[in-house]
Amino acid sequence: MFSDEASDSVTVPSVWRKQHESQRDTRGSQTSAVSRCEAEVQSVSRTSSSTQTEPEPLTQLDPEAADPPGLRDFLQRVEEEVVGELVSNARSHAFDGFQVNWGDHSQLVSCLHLLQHPVAQERGLHVTCVSWSCTGSVVACGFGRMEDGGWSTESSYVCTWNLDRRGLNPKQADLVLDVPTAVTALCCHPDQPALLAGGLYSGEVVVWDTSRTQDPVLALTGMSAESHREPVYQVSWVPLQKRGEFGVLSASSGGRVLLWTLDSDQGRFVLDAVFAFVRQQVPHGVSVKTRGGSSTVGVTSLALSPWDPDTFLVGSEGGLLLRCSFSSTTPAAVASEGQSVAPRAPAVFSFRPCSGPVHSIHCSPFHRNLFVSAGTDGLAHVHSLLQVDPLLSLRVSGSYVFQVQWSPTRPLVLAAATGQGKVQIFDLGRRSLRAAATIEQGGAGHAATSLSFNAHSPRLLAVGSTDGSVGVWQLSAALSEQRPRESSQLEQIANQVAE
Amino acid sequence: MAEVEETLKRIQGQKGVQGIIIVNSEGIPVKTTLDNSSTVQYAGLIHQLVMKARSTVRDIDPQNDLTFLRIRSKKNEIMIAPDKDYFLIVIQNPSD
């Protein structure tokens, strides 16, 4: 039934398995021959020439040429109409009090930045002075202590922040300068944004050049017999006789105001003028309270007049307010200790004294006779340079007023920093004498020690307080834009006769 | 010639007038009481403005034409009397 059968094997070729040898082809190529040639060139003759632009002659309107034709007839036609419009415009009340608001309605003050230096805050240092640079984008502040009575040797800082930089970190200063003692005064150079002048608690005056990374100290007065021995409460840059040059004026509670010129090659100050204040030489024999029995009058504040380069105002520890002159030649009645420059007594006129030290004076940028002064009596007095008594006394706060400044854009606005931590902004055009706006910075128990308006962006105000922070506040348009008739209102205030 | 000067003096003597400029039809100042740089600035800017104002008035109503232009700003008022050949620009501060 079943039988074996042998069948042939079948071969099935693989479909997927291929030969491992790949196909080979041989090809060759060659570029065509590259053509080359060499050549040399040398100049044989040379000429040089240069060009320079010349200043273009201004197209002057030639006043002597004959009148163009038709001008006379044209004027005859329009004169009557124009004069009629001018007269009715001068009389019209159509636009009285009419104001257009081009900007948005915003609240009166708003805080833009709160700048802090954590190291200084940990040590509990207070901000004693703030200053804007001349470009308006950098704010510099100095640290120290406000209530120091005795000598202190703790080191301190000067910090700057550039607000226009994109990566602004409010907790980290762009530049931190180490200072051996507390900083009591700071002032930025009015032309060169890198220079900063500072007055220290030890009586030294320093100028820093922030563009130098190695050693920013450009000049230092050092402790010599001629420099201050007491804290320097104010430094200012003063234009000197030579245009474009500035000297540094420093005032200290030792009763001296010194004018230094900068010798930047040698890195030192040269004393230019010494003004000494002595009780006996105060004009009008106004009764003066001086420290101890000494006859020196300690200077706590200084202001330069932007209208008259010869005048400067000085406020003292005893409440005196004096008008002084740079060009006075009366020698001061102090024992001259062999100094190189003879001290002079510059006081010319004395105003009614306050009952406490005068912390701040500022001359109005809009009227040549007005200035405001503030001290520990909590009042801000608006004085005229021509009268002894103040024109107006504003009740700022119940405690000390540390700094007061006129607004650079609105003639009637001034801001005052108080010991209760608030900055009060007054508008003298209002009928009531209450503050138009208040800035509160820092917690309770902290004082606002210094403030500074930004001359470039007039809506910004920097406020330094004892909690170690600098606040940059923006004022609304109402507080920073000039209204019509403000100058005439200011003129009226200045022309009042004090009762 | 003296008449032109007298007329200008009369206008200048009105209350609050700060300056007068007379500009010709091409925008070039012909007579002025201000300094050169301000004059050139005012002449250029105001000439363009008057042309624009005039074309605005005529576009709205072709029978109409511009007779007088007044620009009131916070600090002062600029009055412009246009004509075929010249413009008279007077700057006045009415609250002076």
Side-chain angles (χ1 to χ4, degrees):
Chain A
M1 262 208 286
F2 295 110
S3 56
D4 289 320
E5 194 160 309
S7 54
D8 304 300
S9 59
V10 180
T11 320
V12 178
S14 159
V15 179
W16 59 273
R17 199 179 280 174
K18 289 193 178 54
Q19 290 264 335
H20 280 294
E21 290 176 339
S22 49
Q23 213 171 21
R24 277 190 230 105
D25 262 338
T26 315
R27 295 246 165 93
S29 67
Q30 180 174 353
T31 55
S32 55
V34 175
S35 60
R36 281 190 226 102
C37 64
E38 285 185 14
E40 275 182 14
V41 150
Q42 179 167 358
S43 61
V44 175
S45 70
R46 292 184 201 89
T47 56
S48 65
S49 74
S50 53
T51 63
Q52 178 175 347
T53 57
E54 279 177 4
E56 264 190 31
L58 293 168
T59 47
Q60 291 275 348
L61 299 171
D62 195 354
E64 267 127 33
D67 282 334
L71 187 60
R72 206 178 52 163
D73 300 324
F74 162 67
L75 278 178
Q76 273 177 347
R77 279 195 297 264
V78 294
E79 183 196 352
E80 207 176 310
E81 186 186 1
V82 169
V83 168
E85 290 288 343
L86 286 171
V87 168
S88 66
N89 199 24
R91 277 197 300 228
S92 123
H93 291 284
F95 287 99
D96 275 358
F98 176 71
Q99 281 172 61
V100 174
N101 205 358
W102 282 102
D104 322 316
H105 278 285
S106 49
Q107 48 179 160
L108 282 177
V109 290
S110 55
C111 185
L112 282 184
H113 308 280
L114 196 65
L115 307 168
Q116 293 161 336
H117 186 48
V119 177
Q121 269 191 318
E122 278 162 38
R123 287 174 50 192
L125 289 176
H126 308 155
V127 174
T128 48
C129 39
V130 287
S131 177
W132 290 94
S133 76
C134 61
T135 55
S137 40
V138 176
V139 60
C141 76
F143 289 93
R145 282 195 198 281
M146 290 304 288
E147 71 276 333
D148 251 343
W151 194 258
S152 88
T153 48
E154 65 177 333
S155 68
S156 146
Y157 311 98
V158 168
C159 297
T160 68
W161 283 266
N162 186 334
L163 299 178
D164 288 338
R165 267 202 206 143
R166 252 183 309 154
L168 172 68
N169 182 354
K171 294 259 190 278
Q172 191 187 17
D174 288 332
L175 180 66
V176 178
L177 300 167
D178 287 312
V179 183
T181 55
V183 180
T184 44
L186 203 61
C187 185
C188 289
H189 196 280
D191 268 345
Q192 298 176 31
L195 294 183
L196 209 63
L200 304 183
Y201 192 79
S202 57
E204 292 177 306
V205 176
V206 193
V207 170
W208 290 283
D209 184 350
T210 52
S211 60
R212 298 203 320 204
T213 41
Q214 281 296 342
D215 176 23
V217 175
L218 188 64
L220 185 61
T221 53
M223 304 286 294
S224 70
E226 296 177 330
S227 63
H228 298 289
R229 312 262 181 81
E230 302 268 336
V232 176
Y233 280 112
Q234 192 102 26
V235 284
S236 284
W237 290 94
V238 186
L240 296 175
Q241 253 97 17
K242 209 167 135 198
R243 268 206 69 183
E245 284 204 358
F246 286 87
V248 177
L249 194 66
S250 61
S252 90
S253 49
R256 277 170 194 259
V257 171
L258 303 178
L259 178 60
W260 307 87
T261 46
L262 204 52
D263 187 2
S264 45
D265 306 323
Q266 304 222 353
R268 63 192 181 92
F269 281 105
V270 174
L271 192 54
D272 205 37
V274 176
F275 299 103
F277 292 89
V278 179
R279 183 164 35 147
Q280 297 91 324
Q281 285 179 313
V282 169
H284 296 295
V286 174
S287 67
V288 169
K289 294 178 228 59
T290 50
R291 219 172 358 132
S294 71
S295 60
T296 53
V297 173
V299 175
T300 48
S301 55
L302 181 70
L304 294 166
S305 166
W307 303 91
D308 183 7
D310 189 42
T311 307
F312 65 102
L313 297 163
V314 147
S316 85
E317 283 179 331
L320 272 187
L321 208 50
L322 300 169
R323 183 176 73 150
C324 310
S325 148
F326 278 118
S327 56
S328 113
T329 47
T330 342
V334 284
S336 64
E337 302 134 21
Q339 292 159 349
S340 56
V341 182
R344 294 183 265 163
V348 167
F349 188 72
S350 108
F351 300 95
R352 178 144 68 93
C354 313
S355 53
V358 177
H359 280 299
S360 162
I361 314 179
H362 194 233
C363 290
S364 166
F366 288 95
H367 196 287
R368 60 178 309 133
N369 284 344
L370 286 180
F371 69 95
V372 63
S373 75
T376 50
D377 52 4
L379 298 170
H381 301 279
V382 176
H383 283 262
S384 161
L385 279 177
L386 308 171
Q387 294 178 31
V388 170
D389 288 323
L391 297 170
L392 206 58
S393 295
L394 300 166
R395 173 122 221 116
V396 176
S397 89
S399 78
Y400 302 171
V401 179
F402 285 113
Q403 185 150 10
V404 70
Q405 197 176 12
W406 291 97
S407 158
T409 44
R410 272 200 67 190
L412 293 172
V413 168
L414 52 93
T418 71
Q420 288 165 336
K422 299 191 207 164
V423 172
Q424 310 271 31
I425 301 179
F426 289 93
D427 182 349
L428 298 177
R430 288 199 179 184
R431 262 172 239 130
S432 89
L433 290 179
R434 272 191 316 136
T438 309
I439 293 178
E440 301 213 20
Q441 188 189 313
H446 285 287
T449 54
S450 50
L451 59 86
S452 183
F453 278 96
N454 186 340
H456 244 260
S457 333
R459 293 176 64 166
L460 296 182
L461 177 62
V463 177
S465 93
T466 49
D467 65 358
S469 63
V470 174
V472 177
W473 295 80
Q474 186 174 47
L475 305 175
S476 73
L479 286 174
S480 52
E481 279 168 17
Q482 195 171 0
R483 299 226 178 102
R485 293 175 207 259
E486 264 196 54
S487 310
S488 49
Q489 271 182 310
L490 193 69
E491 184 77 34
Q492 271 178 343
I493 295 177
N495 290 340
Q496 280 174 314
V497 177
E499 304 101 39
Chain B
M1 230 255 283
E3 276 189 45
V4 167
E5 302 297 334
E6 268 181 37
T7 312
L8 288 182
K9 264 205 213 73
R10 272 198 294 270
I11 301 180
Q12 178 88 26
Q14 298 297 325
K15 182 163 179 278
V17 171
Q18 288 174 338
I20 309 175
I21 307 170
I22 302 183
V23 177
N24 72 2
S25 50
E26 288 153 22
I28 301 171
V30 165
K31 281 235 175 277
T32 176
T33 61
L34 298 172
D35 56 291
N36 265 358
S37 51
S38 312
T39 302
V40 168
Q41 199 176 20
Y42 269 105
L45 294 169
I46 290 182
H47 181 71
Q48 294 174 33
L49 188 63
V50 172
M51 291 292 119
K52 185 74 184 170
R54 185 165 186 238
S55 70
T56 305
V57 169
R58 295 190 68 161
D59 281 350
I60 294 172
D61 179 358
Q63 312 284 348
N64 206 354
D65 205 348
L66 180 71
T67 54
F68 205 84
L69 185 61
R70 288 168 71 160
I71 304 166
R72 192 169 180 111
S73 72
K74 271 201 281 215
K75 296 190 185 165
N76 50 23
E77 177 150 351
I78 305 173
M79 299 198 199
I80 305 145
D83 197 80
K84 183 173 67 126
D85 309 312
Y86 300 98
F87 300 154
L88 173 67
I89 303 167
V90 181
I91 302 146
Q92 184 195 28
N93 186 353
S95 56
D96 254 356

